[in-house]
Amino acid sequence: MITFFTYPGPNSRKAQIMLEESGEAYRTQTIDITKGEQFDPKYLEISPNNKIPAIVDEGPQEKVAVFETGAILIYLAEKSGRLLPPSGAARADTLAWLFWGTGALGATLPQLHHYADLAQRIPGTVERFGTEAVRLFNVLERRLSQREFICGEYSIADIPSFCSTAGWLGRVKQLSDGKLGDTPSIDRWLKAVAQRPAVQRVG
Ligand SMILES: N[C@@H](CCC(=O)N[C@@H](CS)C(=O)NCC(=O)O)C(=O)O
């Protein structure tokens, strides 16, 4: 049985969508990051970077702890045999776009959020992260204008980018003062992913 350590937010949502997609049984344990529970020494044994989400998979042979959203998605994909090609170019492409979603898009948007919402903005910060967010959404728009999903078929590469884009595209358009125009391919893809039963179960 898998234990899912979580607190409501975009990163937990990414991991929970994959838990649902994988069909694995899991129970949920809340780590209240507003109360500092992520620093509890017991939790740090599971997630040494003191962040949620994390999972622990306790089987008859071994106990596996995984932190970092991207690593959780890969672990669940390999365990279930779903949403990650087993080898070759398709697997390499899926992993590249998974890391792009967690490490590029997923790392830039929270920075923009932080600096845009400061009571007193620091000159240059919103421009820096806003320009990068516009660039990344243009990369995603170009990619999705050529494929139904990020790597052709729906895969773990779609999940982090979907969660980040669903939450952020509108705000980035508003902050970008027209520099990010219409995104018809992203809009189509957002609707398609949102219709998946696993995504709807997570909400
Ligand atoms: N790179 C990590 C980021 C996870 C992350 O930023 N989690 C936030 C909540 S969304 C957190 O646990 N914050 C608590 C803290 O920083 O102490 C991942 O992808 O899993």
Side-chain angles (χ1 to χ4, degrees):
M1 168 71 102
I2 294 175
T3 306
F4 172 44
F5 297 88
T6 179
Y7 190 77
N11 287 307
S12 288
R13 187 177 181 220
K14 297 168 196 173
Q16 195 170 6
I17 287 173
M18 187 54 198
L19 279 160
E20 291 288 335
E21 294 282 7
S22 73
E24 299 291 332
Y26 67 97
R27 61 172 164 243
T28 295
Q29 189 173 322
T30 300
I31 300 294
D32 190 338
I33 60 173
T34 67
K35 293 189 179 144
E37 289 177 5
Q38 70 274 34
F39 298 106
D40 184 312
K42 271 203 153 45
Y43 184 64
L44 290 177
E45 283 172 22
I46 295 162
S47 182
N49 195 35
N50 64 265
K51 305 263 182 195
I52 51 90
I55 59 169
V56 170
D57 186 6
E58 253 176 301
Q61 312 291 340
E62 60 173 358
K63 180 174 165 176
V64 183
V66 190
F67 69 101
E68 280 295 321
T69 306
I72 294 169
L73 266 55
I74 294 170
Y75 179 82
L76 293 170
E78 287 180 337
K79 185 175 167 95
S80 64
R82 295 184 188 171
L83 304 186
L84 175 62
S87 62
R91 181 184 176 88
D93 199 40
T94 305
L95 292 177
W97 282 95
L98 171 70
F99 293 165
W100 182 88
T102 55
L105 191 63
T108 298
L109 296 174
Q111 302 292 337
L112 179 60
H113 174 61
H114 173 80
Y115 287 111
D117 290 344
L118 284 180
Q120 276 205 316
R121 284 197 183 165
I122 304 168
T125 51
V126 174
E127 290 73 12
R128 177 188 163 95
F129 291 106
T131 301
E132 179 62 358
V134 168
R135 188 190 71 78
L136 291 165
F137 279 132
N138 279 326
V139 169
L140 186 60
E141 175 64 21
R142 194 163 61 243
R143 181 79 181 174
L144 288 168
S145 70
Q146 298 154 354
R147 291 163 183 79
E148 188 176 359
F149 294 99
I150 291 178
C151 293
E153 286 182 20
Y154 181 72
S155 72
I156 53 171
D158 291 287
I159 296 172
S161 292
F162 166 76
C163 293
S164 297
T165 304
W168 274 93
L169 184 63
R171 185 85 201 277
V172 170
K173 282 188 180 173
Q174 178 223 331
L175 286 167
S176 81
D177 258 344
K179 289 191 197 80
L180 180 62
D182 289 342
T183 49
S185 305
I186 293 180
D187 299 347
R188 167 195 55 73
W189 165 80
L190 282 175
K191 279 194 198 127
V193 178
Q195 278 165 13
R196 291 187 65 84
V199 175
Q200 296 202 345
R201 283 197 295 278
V202 173

